[in-house]
Amino acid sequence: MATGGGGVPYIGSRISLISKSEIRYEGTLYTINTQESTVALQHVRSFGTEGRRQDGPQIAPSAEVYEYIIFRGSDIKDLHVLNAQPEGEVMPAQAAAPPQQQQQPQQQQPQQQQLQHQQQK
């Protein structure tokens, strides 16, 4: 089960991650799954190897923004928090579930209808 934004510090923070392949990624920390030893970033850009590779070809940066990338802990060389989420700011409830588990958007519809009803009063 994924650990959500309720008790995990830095969920929603901007993260810089360097993989063991020496590729740097930047994205928003989406979730940390301690049971599977994974870290999920959202809205991720790859900045390539930036000259870090000593052996083998350098990898160029990519202009593509990936919706999500899930990294295994064993593939992470370095991780830094670039901009921490402000204290007291609450992430949306769906941020607690990994992307592959968001299969029930119908659950949000009654809440939206209730909110619209309250706004009309």
Side-chain angles (χ1 to χ4, degrees):
M1 179 176 201
T3 305
V8 179
Y10 303 113
I11 295 293
S13 298
R14 194 85 183 139
I15 301 294
S16 176
L17 180 149
I18 299 176
S19 70
K20 290 203 173 168
S21 301
E22 301 291 350
I23 299 170
R24 182 170 66 95
Y25 298 90
E26 283 188 12
T28 302
L29 182 59
Y30 186 76
T31 189
I32 298 172
N33 185 319
T34 55
Q35 291 178 343
E36 294 182 15
S37 297
T38 60
V39 173
L41 298 184
Q42 182 179 26
H43 308 295
V44 186
R45 288 206 48 213
S46 169
F47 291 86
T49 52
E50 302 173 310
R52 277 182 292 278
R53 270 199 184 159
Q54 300 300 316
D55 298 325
Q58 297 296 317
I59 304 295
S62 172
E64 185 172 352
V65 176
Y66 300 93
E67 185 72 22
Y68 295 96
I69 299 180
I70 298 173
F71 297 90
R72 291 180 295 193
S74 60
D75 292 335
I76 299 171
K77 178 180 178 181
D78 193 20
L79 187 143
H80 289 286
V81 176
L82 299 175
N83 295 326
Q85 168 133 351
E87 288 284 328
E89 188 171 323
V90 178
M91 291 298 293
Q94 68 265 24
Q100 63 270 26
Q101 292 181 1
Q102 292 183 6
Q103 299 173 2
Q104 300 175 359
Q106 296 85 5
Q107 292 177 347
Q108 292 181 354
Q109 290 175 350
Q111 293 173 345
Q112 291 171 349
Q113 290 171 352
Q114 182 181 13
L115 180 60
Q116 289 171 352
H117 179 70
Q118 290 174 352
Q119 290 174 347
Q120 292 173 352
K121 287 184 179 181

